[in-house]
C-alpha cells in the first residue's frame, strides 16, 4: 500500500512538473527572474572586477615596496549575489504563488479535479504530489540561478569561490527553495479555498504585498536613525556610544519595530541569505557554527512558516468538492 | 454613451468584493503612512530630549534641532513608496477587471449603438474616476495626518504641493490601469492576463531601475532614490534609458513636488513627469486600438 501511495504521489508530481513547464505565464515570469538575476550578478561582478584589480595593484605595489603589513581585501565575492537573492525574495515568491495557483486552477478549469478524486487518490496524496512537483521546478530554477551566479563571479568578477563559500551558498539556495515552496503552498491554499481561483490568486498577491514589501519597509522606516536623511544620531552629533545609550530608553519601541519585521517571512529569508552570502560585514568574520547560531531565530521562523503553509494547503485540498461545481470552479 | 459605460464600470467595481478589499487596503496604507509620520515625529522629539540630557551631563552644548533638517512634508515620504507598490497594483487590478469582467458578454454591448472607441474611452474614464476618487481619499487622509502631527492647518503652498503630488500619482497609477486593460485585451485567459500585467509591473518597479541606475530591488522600496554614478561604463550607457524607467521618474518628480529632496527647477520636475504622461498617452492609444481589433465573440475569460 505504501509503495502504491508513493507511486501515485510521484505520478502527480511528474504531472505537476510537466504542466508547469508548459505554462506560458510561468515562462514569462521565469524569464523576468532569470534576466533580472543574471543581469544583477553580471553588473555587480563587473564592478567587483575593477575593485579587485585596484586591490591587487595596491598589494603588488606594497609587496614591491617591502611593506610587510598589507591590509586584507575588503571585498567579499559572495556579496555580489545580494541582488540575486533580493530578486528571489520578490519575484521568486510571485512565481511560486503562480505555480500554486495554477496547480489548482488548471485542474478546476479542465474539470479533472473531480476525475482525479474519483480515483483512489487521497487529498493528502494530491497535495503531496503537487508540492513535490513544484519543488522540482523550484529546485531546478534555484540550481540554474546558483550556476549563473557562481560562473558570473568567477568569469566576470575574476574570483572563484572556495569550498566554504560554495557550502554557504548552497545553504542560502536551500533556504531560497524552502522560501519559494512556502509561497507555492500559499498560492495553492488561497486558490483552493476560494470559489473562483482568480480571487484566491488576488488574495495571495495581497498577502505577498504585505509580507514581502510592506512589513519590511515599515520596520525599516521606524528605525530611529532613519528619521532624517544622513541619520538622526549623526545629525545630533552623537557617536555609536551615544546612540547605544539613548536607544536604551527605546526598548519597547525597538521591540515593536523588530516585531513588525519579524512578522515578515521574507525578512527572515533575507537575513539568513544575507548572512550566508557575506552581505553584512558583521557576519564575515564568524565561523560557520557561530554564523548559524546568529541566525537561529530566522531559521526557526522559516521552518515554522514552511510547515504551517503546506499544512493549510493539505487542509484546503481535503475540502475540495469531488463533484463539478460550475464553470468558474 | 462614454459616460454610461463609465458609470456602469464604477457600479460594477463597487460590487466587487476583491476591489473593495484592495481599495480598503490602499486607504489603510495611506493612514499607516500618516501614522508612521506621526511616530517619526514623536521619535525625533524623544531622541532629541534624551540627546540634550546626555550631552548636558557630559558638559556639552545642546545639539541642533533636528526638525530644522526634516522637510515639512517628509511625513508623506512613505506615500512615494506605497503608490508605486500598492497604488499601481490596485490600478492594475482595476484595469484588468474593467475588461475581463465583461468577458464574453462584452459582445452584447456592441449590439447596442456603441462604437468601440466610445467603449474604450468609457472604460478608461471609469478607471480614471475610480482612481481619482481613491487619490482624493488619500489626499484627505494625508491632510488630516498633517493637521494632527503639526497641530496646524497647512498653508496654501503646502496644499498646492499635495494636490500636485496626488495629481502626479493619479497619472502614474493610470499607466498601470491601462497596462491591466491592455493585458486583458491581449489574452483570452483571465489569470494569464493578470499575471502578465504583474510581470510588467515587476519589470518597471524593480528590474528596469536596476538596469538604468544600479538600484537593487530593496533600494527601490526607499522613498529617496540614489542612482549609481554614471562614471561606470555600463551605467554610462544604460543611464540613457532612464526616461523609460517611469518608477524612478515618478519618485524623482514626487520628491521634488513634496520637497523631500533638494528642490531643483520646475522644468526639472516637468522633465521627470513627461515620460509618465507620454507612457499614459501611448497606452490610451494602444487600448483604443486593441479594443477596436479585439474579437469579443471569442472572449473566454474563465480560468
Amino acid at each position: 500500500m505504501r509503495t502504491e501511495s508513493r507511486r501515485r504521489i510521484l505520478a502527480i508530481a511528474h504531472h505537476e512538473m510537466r504542466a508547469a513547464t508548459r505554462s506560458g505565464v510561468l515562462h514569462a515570469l521565469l524569464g523576468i527572474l532569470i534576466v533580472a538575476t543574471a543581469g544583477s550578478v553580471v553588473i555587480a561582478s563587473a564592478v567587483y572586477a575593477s575593485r579587485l584589480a585596484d586591490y591587487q595593484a595596491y598589494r603588488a605595489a606594497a609587496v614591491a615596496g617591502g611593506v610587510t603589513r598589507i591590509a586584507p581585501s575588503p571585498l567579499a565575492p559572495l556579496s555580489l549575489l545580494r541582488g540575486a537573492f533580493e530578486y528571489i525574495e520578490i519575484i521568486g515568491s510571485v512565481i511560486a504563488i503562480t505555480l500554486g495557483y495554477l496547480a489548482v486552477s488548471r485542474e478546476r478549469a479542465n474539470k479533472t479535479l473531480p476525475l482525479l478524486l474519483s480515483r483512489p487518490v487521497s487529498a493528502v496524496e494530491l497535495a503531496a504530489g503537487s508540492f513535490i512537483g513544484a519543488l522540482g521546478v523550484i529546485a531546478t530554477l534555484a540550481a540554474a540561478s546558483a550556476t549563473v551566479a557562481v560562473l558570473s563571479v568567477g568569469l566576470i568578477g575574476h574570483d572563484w569561490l572556495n569550498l566554504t563559500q560554495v557550502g554557504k551558498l548552497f545553504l542560502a539556495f536551500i533556504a531560497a527553495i524552502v522560501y519559494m515552496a512556502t509561497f507555492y503552498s500559499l498560492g495553492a491554499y488561497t486558490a483552493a479555498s476560494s470559489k473562483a481561483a482568480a480571487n484566491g490568486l488576488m488574495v495571495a498577491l495581497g498577502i505577498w504585498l504585505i509580507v514581502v514589501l510592506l512589513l519590511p519597509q515599515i520596520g525599516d522606516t521606524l528605525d530611529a536613525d532613519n528619521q532624517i536623511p544622513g541619520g538622526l544620531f549623526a545629525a545630533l552629533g552623537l557617536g555609536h556610544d551615544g546612540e547605544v545609550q539613548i536607544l536604551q530608553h527605546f526598548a519597547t519601541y525597538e521591540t515593536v519595530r523588530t516585531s513588525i519585521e519579524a512578522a515578515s517571512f521574507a525578512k527572515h529569508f533575507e537575513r539568513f541569505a544575507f548572512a550566508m552570502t557575506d552581505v553584512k560585514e558583521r557576519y564575515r568574520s564568524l565561523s560557520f557554527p557561530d554564523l548559524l547560531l546568529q541566525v537561529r531565530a530566522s531559521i526557526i521562523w522559516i521552518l515554522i512558516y514552511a510547515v504551517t503553509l503546506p499544512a493549510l494547503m493539505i487542509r484546503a485540498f481535503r475540502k475540495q468538492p469531488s463533484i463539478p461545481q460550475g464553470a468558474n470552479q | 454613451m462614454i459616460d454610461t459605460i463609465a458609470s456602469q464600470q464604477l457600479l460594477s467595481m463597487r460590487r466587487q468584493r476583491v476591489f473593495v478589499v484592495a481599495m480598503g487596503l490602499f486607504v489603510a496604507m495611506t493612514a499607516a503612512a500618516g501614522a508612521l509620520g506621526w511616530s517619526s515625529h514623536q521619535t525625533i522629539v524623544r531622541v532629541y530630549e534624551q540627546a540634550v540630557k546626555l550631552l548636558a551631563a557630559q558638559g556639552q552644548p545642546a545639539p541642533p534641532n533636528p526638525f530644522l533638517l526634516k522637510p515639512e512634508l517628509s511625513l508623506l515620504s512613505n506615500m512615494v513608496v506605497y503608490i508605486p507598490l500598492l497604488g499601481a497594483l490596485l490600478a492594475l487590478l482595476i484595469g484588468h477587471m474593467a475588461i475581463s469582467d465583461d468577458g464574453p458578454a462584452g459582445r452584447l454591448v456592441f449590439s447596442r449603438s456603441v462604437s468601440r472607441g466610445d467603449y474604450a474611452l468609457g472604460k478608461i474614464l471609469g478607471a480614471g474616476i475610480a482612481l481619482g476618487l481613491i487619490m482624493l481619499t488619500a489626499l484627505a487622509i494625508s491632510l488630516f495626518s498633517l493637521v494632527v502631527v503639526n497641530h496646524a492647518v497647512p498653508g496654501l503652498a503646502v496644499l498646492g504641493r499635495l494636490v500636485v503630488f496626488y495629481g502626479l500619482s493619479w497619472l502614474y497609477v493610470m499607466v498601470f490601469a491601462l497596462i491591466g486593460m491592455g493585458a486583458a485585451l491581449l489574452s483570452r485567459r483571465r489569470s494569464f492576463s493578470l499575471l502578465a500585467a504583474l510581470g510588467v509591473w515587476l519589470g518597471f518597479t524593480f528590474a528596469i531601475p536596476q538596469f538604468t541606475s544600479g538600484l537593487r530591488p530593496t533600494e527601490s522600496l526607499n522613498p529617496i532614490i540614489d542612482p549609481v554614478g554614471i562614471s561606470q561604463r555600463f551605467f554610462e550607457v544604460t543611464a540613457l534609458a532612464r526616461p523609460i524607467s517611469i518608477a524612478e521618474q515618478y519618485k524623482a518628480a514626487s520628491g521634488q513636488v513634496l520637497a523631500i529632496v533638494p528642490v531643483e527647477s520646475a522644468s526639472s520636475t516637468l522633465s521627470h513627469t513627461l515620460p509618465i504622461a507620454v507612457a499614459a498617452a501611448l497606452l490610451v492609444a494602444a487600448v483604443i486600438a486593441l479594443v477596436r481589433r479585439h474579437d469579443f465573440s471569442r472572449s473566454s475569460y474563465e480560468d
Side-chain angles (χ1 to χ4, degrees):
Chain A
M1 186 64 186
R2 269 189 178 174
T3 319
E4 271 301 298
S5 177
R6 196 183 307 143
R7 193 184 59 76
R8 283 196 294 267
I9 290 173
L10 288 177
I12 294 166
H14 185 62
H15 162 72
E16 175 74 17
M17 279 187 77
R18 282 184 60 182
T21 49
R22 283 176 187 164
S23 165
V25 69
L26 202 65
H27 286 165
L29 287 172
L30 281 175
I32 292 175
L33 178 67
I34 289 167
V35 170
T37 304
S40 133
V41 180
V42 167
I43 293 166
S45 297
V47 175
Y48 180 84
S50 100
R51 286 186 187 157
L52 186 65
D54 287 347
Y55 174 75
Q56 281 166 347
Y58 148 77
R59 190 184 166 84
V63 170
V67 177
T68 49
R69 295 184 68 184
I70 299 171
S73 168
L75 302 169
L78 273 180
S79 67
L80 301 183
L81 306 180
R82 179 178 184 159
F85 280 101
E86 287 184 3
Y87 276 117
I88 288 175
E89 185 181 339
I90 296 171
I91 303 179
S93 47
V94 174
I95 290 174
I97 286 173
T98 309
L99 262 173
Y101 155 76
L102 287 173
V104 174
S105 70
R106 189 174 44 238
E107 304 300 344
R108 282 188 183 178
N110 296 338
K111 314 262 189 247
T112 45
L113 190 62
L115 195 66
L116 258 172
L117 293 174
S118 70
R119 311 282 302 177
V121 176
S122 71
V124 177
E125 286 170 351
L126 187 60
S130 301
F131 186 80
I132 291 169
L135 214 55
V137 177
I138 291 168
T140 309
L141 178 65
S145 299
T147 309
V148 169
V150 172
L151 289 177
S152 299
V153 173
L155 295 172
I156 304 168
H158 304 299
D159 206 347
W160 291 96
L161 302 181
N162 61 35
L163 209 59
T164 312
Q165 288 167 329
V166 170
K168 283 161 74 177
L169 189 61
F170 176 74
L171 279 185
F173 272 104
I174 291 289
I177 292 171
V178 173
Y179 174 77
M180 287 198 275
T182 306
F183 275 102
Y184 166 84
S185 307
L186 173 69
Y189 165 65
T190 53
S193 305
S194 304
K195 255 185 157 181
N199 285 350
L201 173 66
M202 289 180 198
V203 171
L205 291 174
I207 294 172
W208 165 81
L209 185 76
I210 293 169
V211 169
V212 178
L213 300 179
L214 296 181
L215 286 178
Q217 199 269 343
I218 290 173
D220 204 37
T221 305
L222 286 174
D223 190 335
D225 200 34
N226 289 346
Q227 303 305 319
I228 277 179
L232 176 60
F233 294 103
L236 293 171
L238 295 166
H240 178 68
D241 291 343
E243 179 180 339
V244 171
Q245 279 188 52
I246 286 179
L247 283 179
Q248 283 172 357
H249 299 276
F250 286 81
T252 312
Y253 180 85
E254 279 297 300
T255 306
V256 172
R257 188 180 79 79
T258 48
S259 300
I260 290 173
E261 281 191 348
S264 167
F265 172 54
K267 197 72 187 171
H268 291 297
F269 164 68
E270 186 185 290
R271 281 179 187 160
F272 181 81
F274 283 5
M276 291 298 131
T277 50
D278 295 337
V279 170
K280 300 285 177 190
E281 274 190 49
R282 65 176 182 273
Y283 292 136
R284 289 180 190 171
S285 57
L286 296 178
S287 68
F288 191 59
D290 285 342
L291 192 59
L292 289 178
L293 205 63
Q294 284 290 317
V295 290
R296 63 186 184 282
S298 290
I299 296 172
I300 292 168
W301 276 112
I302 289 171
L303 291 175
I304 289 172
Y305 282 108
V307 170
T308 308
L309 265 301
L312 287 173
M313 175 185 151
I314 291 172
R315 192 165 165 262
F317 270 51
R318 274 195 176 134
K319 288 185 174 176
Q320 288 296 293
S322 53
I323 50 168
Q325 298 288 305
N328 278 337
Q329 299 302 296
Chain B
M1 197 45 92
I2 294 173
D3 54 338
T4 309
I5 290 168
S7 60
Q8 183 275 334
Q9 182 56 43
L10 288 168
L11 188 68
S12 160
M13 275 192 283
R14 215 179 62 191
R15 288 176 180 160
Q16 286 276 357
R17 209 166 51 178
V18 172
F19 168 73
V20 173
V21 169
M23 203 184 85
L25 197 63
F26 182 78
V27 171
M29 285 315 302
T30 310
L36 287 171
W38 173 81
S39 163
S40 162
H41 184 93
Q42 296 300 315
T43 305
I44 294 174
V45 169
R46 288 175 58 206
V47 168
Y48 181 66
E49 284 170 1
Q50 293 296 333
V52 169
K53 280 183 199 166
L54 183 72
L55 292 171
Q58 293 170 351
Q60 293 179 45
N65 184 349
F67 283 107
L68 298 175
L69 303 167
K70 200 170 166 63
E72 192 177 0
L73 286 172
S74 61
L75 173 75
L76 299 176
S77 56
N78 273 311
M79 285 309 291
V80 179
V81 176
Y82 296 153
I83 283 173
L85 295 183
L86 198 51
L89 273 180
L90 178 63
L92 214 64
L93 193 63
I94 287 175
H96 165 80
M97 286 181 2
I99 300 296
S100 61
D101 277 358
D102 275 359
R107 66 179 182 272
L108 292 177
V109 177
F110 299 112
S111 65
R112 312 293 298 260
S113 56
V114 181
S115 74
R116 288 189 174 231
D118 283 357
Y119 176 80
L121 288 173
K123 289 287 176 188
I124 294 169
L125 182 66
I129 292 172
L131 289 169
L133 289 173
I134 292 169
M135 289 301 152
L136 273 176
T137 312
L139 171 66
I141 294 171
S142 298
L143 268 174
F144 177 74
S145 307
L146 280 171
V147 172
V148 169
V149 171
N150 297 336
H151 304 294
V153 178
L156 269 179
V158 169
L159 196 63
R161 283 183 183 279
L162 275 180
V163 170
V164 174
F165 168 67
Y166 279 107
L168 172 69
S169 301
W170 175 83
L171 184 65
Y172 183 75
V173 294
M174 269 309 284
V175 168
F176 289 92
L178 292 162
I179 288 172
M181 284 184 190
L185 287 162
L186 282 169
S187 169
R188 288 170 58 203
R189 291 197 62 182
R190 188 178 179 140
S191 57
F192 186 93
S193 62
L194 180 63
L195 288 166
L198 188 75
V200 175
W201 172 78
L202 285 169
F204 273 117
T205 311
F206 299 107
I208 294 177
Q210 166 136 42
F211 177 72
T212 54
S213 300
L215 294 172
R216 289 191 318 275
T218 50
E219 283 178 312
S220 294
L221 301 178
N222 286 332
I224 298 166
I225 54 168
D226 184 17
V228 73
I230 55 167
S231 56
Q232 290 166 26
R233 196 188 298 167
F234 180 83
F235 293 111
E236 203 177 314
V237 177
T238 62
L240 297 172
R242 272 185 197 162
I244 63 160
S245 180
I246 55 168
E248 277 185 272
Q249 300 299 334
Y250 168 75
K251 282 183 188 171
S254 299
Q256 297 283 318
V257 170
L258 293 174
I260 54 176
V261 294
V263 178
E264 295 167 17
S265 63
S267 62
S268 157
T269 310
L270 272 178
S271 70
H272 290 304
T273 311
L274 194 65
I276 303 171
V278 169
L282 288 175
L283 283 164
V284 167
V287 166
I288 293 171
L290 283 170
V291 166
R292 284 205 168 117
R293 75 175 189 91
H294 189 72
D295 185 355
F296 284 89
S297 65
R298 292 189 64 216
S299 289
S300 171
Y301 291 106
E302 290 161 10
D303 284 319

